[in-house]
């Protein structure tokens, strides 16, 4: 049974959204035809909502091709959550026309007349214009070009500022997992007060939450951007030895429920207050059955008690949501790519 949630009045999504970052090329070569074809397996299983971005190279076009095929067959298109991410170097020049160009390009790529959800991001709070850019998206929503607005990787202070300015955010996409619990302190309470639900990525730490890494030696060479990114989060939680102890706990829980480490890690996030859905990345449909297993899993009080001591002694990355990543000279900020919109 697929769990769903009403993200906004009249707009319902499954509680697992298929992520699209793995289709952007930073995780190895993508078989485009297979990628388009495999989307149907997710949709047929009830996972009809995908996450993408204007800056994920080629991903909106893949979704658009699938939409075109669905339309030709008389079937409903995907529900697509895309993004609006102005380039870092352009922030001082961003105006309503700039925002409109991004939105119109997404409409063309996705081959739709209205964008289901646009998630806005602003790289540097010190550069003026963030609120005005978000209000430009609000204007496009009023025109009917966008159905719903969200944000991505804003902290609680700037989420509140957009809401106070009249930006009708229904969601905030953030990193949230057993390893990274930064949203709990401030963003979750704010969202519950103001009607902003969380769409959570990083729930599987780029694949580190899997049997493959249980008992494995600490990696010295990482093969894709996700593993590089989430190894930093593991280091913030006490390092590889501490992560192995967490994997052992999660594996024990998984064995009690006859499921996988990935299912337990995802279920834990879905059970947290304020969370609408988890974004689970997938290049193809190879692991679809494992993903669907999350919906039949119910963690118990005993499972929570097993995790509690580790969580209490390993607080993870400090600060508000995405604060570490905004430091371009820091460990997390140095690996980011800030000017992908033009490319």
């Amino acid at each position: 049974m697929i769990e769903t949630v009403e993200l906004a009045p009249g707009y319902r999504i499954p509680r697992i959204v298929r992520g699209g970052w793995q289709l952007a090329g930073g995780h190895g070569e993508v078989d485009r035809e297979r990628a388009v074809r495999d989307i149907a397996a997710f949709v047929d299983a009830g996972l009809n909502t995908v996450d993408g971005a204007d800056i994920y190279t080629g991903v909106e076009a893949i979704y658009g091709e699938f939409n075109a095929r669905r339309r030709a067959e008389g079937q409903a298109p995907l529900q697509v959550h895309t993004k609006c991410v102005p380039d870092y170097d352009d922030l001082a020049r961003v105006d309503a026309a700039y925002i409109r160009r991004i939105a119109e390009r997404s409409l063309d790529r996705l081959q739709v007349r209205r964008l289901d959800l646009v998630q806005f991001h602003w790289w540097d709070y010190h550069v003026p214009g963030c609120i005005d850019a978000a209000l430009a998206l609000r204007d496009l929503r009023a025109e009917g070009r966008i159905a719903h607005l969200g944000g991505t990787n804003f902290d609680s202070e700037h989420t509140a500022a957009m809401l106070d300015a009249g930006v009708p955010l229904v969601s905030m996409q953030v990193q949230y997992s057993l390893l990274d619990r930064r949203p709990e302190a401030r963003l979750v309470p704010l969202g519950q007060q103001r009607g902003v639900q969380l769409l959570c990525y990083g729930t599987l730490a780029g694949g580190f939450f899997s049997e493959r890494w249980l008992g494995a030696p600490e990696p010295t060479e990482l093969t894709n951007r996700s593993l590089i990114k989430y190894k930093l989060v593991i280091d913030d939680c006490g390092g590889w030895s501490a992560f192995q102890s967490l994997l052992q706990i999660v594996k024990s829980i998984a064995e009690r429920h006859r499921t996988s480490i990935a299912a337990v890690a995802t279920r834990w996030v879905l059970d947290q207050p304020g969370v609408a859905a988890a974004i689970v990345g997938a290049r193809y449909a190879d692991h679809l059955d494992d993903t669907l297993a999350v919906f039949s899993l119910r963690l118990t009080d005993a499972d929570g008690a097993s995790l509690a001591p580790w969580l209490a002694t390993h607080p993870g990355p400090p600060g508000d949501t995405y604060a570490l990543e905004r430091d371009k000279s820091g460990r997390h900020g140095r690996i980011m790519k800030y000017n992908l919109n033009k490319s």
Side-chain angles (χ1 to χ4, degrees), residues 192-267:
Q192 292 180 307
Q193 294 167 6
R194 305 292 293 270
V196 178
Q197 300 185 70
L198 301 188
L199 302 174
C200 303
Y201 68 88
T203 56
L204 299 181
F208 276 118
F209 276 115
S210 71
E211 281 73 11
R212 172 191 172 189
W213 293 102
L214 179 61
E218 182 170 5
T220 56
E221 293 186 8
L222 299 171
T223 57
N224 64 55
R225 291 179 62 197
S226 285
L227 293 177
I228 293 169
K229 171 181 172 61
Y230 292 108
K231 179 57 167 62
L232 295 177
V233 179
I234 289 171
D235 293 342
D236 288 337
C237 284
W240 194 250
S241 176
F243 179 59
Q244 286 297 313
S245 67
L246 174 60
L247 280 183
Q248 288 282 2
I249 297 167
V250 176
K251 178 62 175 176
S252 296
I253 295 171
E255 288 177 342
R256 287 200 293 271
H257 294 278
R258 298 182 180 180
T259 191
S260 66
I261 287 174
V264 173
T266 304
R267 185 76 252 178

Side-chain angles (χ1 to χ4, degrees), residues 34-82:
R34 182 183 176 190
V36 174
R37 187 176 63 248
D38 276 16
I39 295 173
F42 288 84
V43 174
D44 292 345
L47 304 183
N48 69 334
T49 305
V50 294
D51 183 77
D54 52 335
I55 61 171
Y56 293 176
T57 305
V59 174
E60 286 182 322
I62 288 173
Y63 294 156
E65 186 169 338
F66 180 80
N67 279 336
R69 296 182 188 184
R70 296 278 288 185
R71 192 174 297 109
E73 297 168 354
Q75 300 184 64
L78 281 170
Q79 293 183 164
V80 179
H81 297 174
T82 192

Side-chain angles (χ1 to χ4, degrees), residues 7-339:
L7 192 64
Y11 184 61
R12 184 166 288 275
I13 64 170
R15 295 201 69 207
I16 291 180
V17 172
R18 182 190 176 185
W21 194 27
Q22 285 79 358
L23 295 172
H27 297 75
E29 186 177 350
V30 175
D31 181 337
R32 181 185 176 89
E33 176 57 32
R34 182 183 176 190
V36 174
R37 187 176 63 248
D38 276 16
I39 295 173
F42 288 84
V43 174
D44 292 345
L47 304 183
N48 69 334
T49 305
V50 294
D51 183 77
D54 52 335
I55 61 171
Y56 293 176
T57 305
V59 174
E60 286 182 322
I62 288 173
Y63 294 156
E65 186 169 338
F66 180 80
N67 279 336
R69 296 182 188 184
R70 296 278 288 185
R71 192 174 297 109
E73 297 168 354
Q75 300 184 64
L78 281 170
Q79 293 183 164
V80 179
H81 297 174
T82 192
K83 300 183 182 72
C84 175
V85 185
D87 282 346
Y88 186 98
D89 290 347
D90 285 346
L91 292 184
R93 297 184 293 275
V94 171
D95 57 14
Y98 185 107
I99 296 298
R100 181 179 292 275
R101 283 195 299 272
I102 292 177
E104 294 289 349
R105 187 183 59 189
S106 292
L107 287 163
D108 290 342
R109 289 171 171 173
L110 292 169
Q111 303 189 46
V112 294
R113 296 181 178 179
R114 184 175 68 169
L115 301 172
D116 295 309
L117 175 71
V118 175
Q119 301 163 105
F120 174 60
H121 180 67
W122 191 261
W123 289 112
D124 190 344
Y125 296 142
H126 296 100
V127 180
C130 176
I131 298 296
D132 288 340
L135 290 173
L137 287 169
R138 184 190 66 176
D139 292 343
L140 290 171
R141 178 177 176 272
E143 292 178 19
R145 306 297 277 168
I146 298 170
H148 306 290
L149 292 179
T152 183
N153 291 326
F154 280 92
D155 61 16
S156 52
E157 176 185 349
H158 292 87
T159 300
M162 285 192 289
L163 292 167
D164 291 343
V167 181
L169 300 175
V170 301
S171 63
M172 183 59 63
Q173 183 177 143
V174 292
Q175 186 170 291
Y176 198 177
S177 72
L178 282 162
L179 294 169
D180 184 356
R181 304 184 298 280
R182 286 177 288 177
E184 291 178 351
R186 299 179 63 188
L187 192 60
V188 167
L190 173 68
Q192 292 180 307
Q193 294 167 6
R194 305 292 293 270
V196 178
Q197 300 185 70
L198 301 188
L199 302 174
C200 303
Y201 68 88
T203 56
L204 299 181
F208 276 118
F209 276 115
S210 71
E211 281 73 11
R212 172 191 172 189
W213 293 102
L214 179 61
E218 182 170 5
T220 56
E221 293 186 8
L222 299 171
T223 57
N224 64 55
R225 291 179 62 197
S226 285
L227 293 177
I228 293 169
K229 171 181 172 61
Y230 292 108
K231 179 57 167 62
L232 295 177
V233 179
I234 289 171
D235 293 342
D236 288 337
C237 284
W240 194 250
S241 176
F243 179 59
Q244 286 297 313
S245 67
L246 174 60
L247 280 183
Q248 288 282 2
I249 297 167
V250 176
K251 178 62 175 176
S252 296
I253 295 171
E255 288 177 342
R256 287 200 293 271
H257 294 278
R258 298 182 180 180
T259 191
S260 66
I261 287 174
V264 173
T266 304
R267 185 76 252 178
W268 183 88
V269 172
L270 290 177
D271 288 347
Q272 301 314 299
V275 172
I279 300 168
V280 178
R283 198 180 311 179
Y284 308 118
D286 296 346
H287 303 290
L288 178 56
D289 289 343
D290 292 338
T291 300
L292 294 172
V294 173
F295 294 124
S296 61
L297 173 61
R298 292 294 178 269
L299 298 180
T300 66
D301 290 343
D303 298 329
S306 297
L307 288 164
W310 192 95
L311 296 177
T313 54
H314 298 84
D320 208 334
T321 303
Y322 210 70
L324 291 173
E325 292 83 349
R326 288 182 179 277
D327 179 4
K328 291 186 72 176
S329 64
R331 294 164 53 251
H332 295 269
R334 285 197 302 269
I335 68 169
M336 304 294 290
K337 296 186 177 181
Y338 294 91
N339 295 291

